[in-house]
Amino acid sequence: MERLIIVIIFTATIHMVDTLSYSVRLAGIRTKRLAMAISLFNIIVLISRTANMIQAPLLGSIVDKAINQGSSAFLLHDFRWIIASATLGSMLGAALIPSFVVIFSKGIINLEKAGSIPQLMGMVIFQQPIAKIKKSLVKPGLSLLKGLKPEKIPPTFLVLNLIITSISTIGVLAAIYAGALVPHYRITASQLSGIINGAATILLAVVVDPQAAIITDQTLQGLRESQEANTMVAFLVGGKILGTLLSQVVFLWAAKTVVLITKIIA
């Protein structure tokens, strides 16, 4: 139970940070320093990747323990909770985006003044960071959605992001759960997660990211209004939250598909 709670916390953290990453473009547009925004955020992404590195073996140990104890029938319930934590983490990240844009914009300006990450960290440590963060917090609300221009963003942008998110959310989970369904071939099944996530990553890089980059650059160049960039981020965040919900629907189907492929390979 303790391991499951830890995995749930890590999963929520990963998806919260992933959701917050969408606000990097807004902070870059606001400060007109997009490259610095992306560079600085890469440091924060390390938190997500570290959590992911810890999450995977813990999740694997939960499955191994269930198989050894003959209680794998209860695993589906656990995996449902893990997917639900992805949704909660995404929603928390969405609520924090307005505050994060303000905090991150200030961080970009301070990075330019400091000249390096170590000096920036020194500035943060010795300048009452908690008090400054509190002043930068923005109360989330539906009023933040006013002024959006959905007609300026292709509807396929939201749909494709939703599908890609649902696949990436359950890529590892479906493969590991499939290993519990075919315990004799669980290593083969778990290795298929790379193919699932790889396909999602390729789709993201080919379809979603270029469109988001075009909208961001055109906004920086003054060819688009800032509200169009806000709409893009709202679409991305909405697609991520809905994508994690869709994951609940397709999870079992995805796991059974992995089982089928595993049997063919084996």
Side-chain angles (χ1 to χ4, degrees):
M1 187 64 180
E2 291 180 0
R3 293 185 183 183
L4 177 61
I5 293 174
I6 294 173
V7 170
I8 286 174
I9 292 172
F10 278 132
T11 301
T13 301
I14 292 167
H15 285 268
M16 180 188 71
V17 174
D18 285 346
T19 304
L20 286 173
S21 69
Y22 297 137
S23 64
V24 173
R25 299 181 189 276
L26 297 182
I29 291 171
R30 176 178 292 191
T31 60
K32 299 189 183 300
R33 294 166 176 83
L34 183 59
M36 288 180 62
I38 295 174
S39 177
L40 184 58
F41 189 78
N42 284 338
I43 299 172
I44 302 175
V45 170
L46 291 176
I47 299 173
S48 174
R49 291 179 179 175
T50 301
N52 202 15
M53 289 172 61
I54 300 173
Q55 177 216 40
L58 282 175
L59 186 57
S61 70
I62 291 173
V63 174
D64 287 340
K65 186 176 180 180
I67 292 173
N68 294 332
Q69 294 180 349
S71 58
S72 56
F74 300 99
L75 277 176
L76 181 58
H77 179 267
D78 294 341
F79 275 80
R80 293 293 187 192
W81 275 108
I82 293 170
I83 298 172
S85 70
T87 303
L88 291 175
S90 299
M91 293 174 67
L92 179 59
L96 291 173
I97 280 181
S99 300
F100 191 80
V101 171
V102 175
I103 295 170
F104 203 72
S105 297
K106 292 179 180 178
I108 294 170
I109 299 301
N110 287 330
L111 175 59
E112 188 173 37
K113 293 178 181 178
S116 67
I117 295 297
Q119 289 182 346
L120 174 63
M121 293 176 65
M123 289 174 60
V124 170
I125 293 172
F126 295 107
Q127 291 184 6
Q128 299 179 323
I130 296 178
K132 290 188 175 182
I133 289 175
K134 286 183 178 180
K135 292 180 181 179
S136 300
L137 295 179
V138 178
K139 185 178 180 180
L142 295 178
S143 59
L144 297 172
L145 299 178
K146 291 181 179 179
L148 298 184
K149 297 185 176 182
E151 70 279 1
K152 297 291 185 179
I153 308 297
T156 53
F157 189 71
L158 173 61
V159 175
L160 290 172
N161 183 57
L162 186 154
I163 295 172
I164 293 168
T165 299
S166 66
I167 294 173
S168 61
T169 298
I170 60 170
V172 174
L173 298 178
I176 292 179
Y177 181 70
L181 299 178
V182 282
H184 295 296
Y185 301 107
R186 62 180 179 269
I187 295 178
T188 303
S190 63
Q191 294 302 310
L192 289 174
S193 65
I195 298 176
I196 299 172
N197 284 348
T201 301
I202 291 172
L203 287 172
L204 184 68
V206 172
V207 179
V208 176
D209 276 352
Q211 184 68 48
I214 290 171
I215 294 172
T216 303
D217 285 344
Q218 288 180 344
T219 304
L220 280 171
Q221 296 167 16
L223 301 177
R224 287 177 179 262
E225 298 178 18
S226 60
Q227 286 300 324
E228 294 183 43
N230 293 343
T231 303
M232 173 196 69
V233 171
F235 270 39
L236 288 171
V237 173
K240 179 163 180 56
I241 294 173
L242 292 175
T244 58
L245 291 172
L246 179 61
S247 296
Q248 293 279 12
V249 178
V250 302
F251 172 70
L252 200 55
W253 173 83
K256 289 181 179 180
T257 301
V258 173
V259 168
L260 179 61
I261 297 174
T262 300
K263 289 180 178 179
I264 293 174
I265 295 174

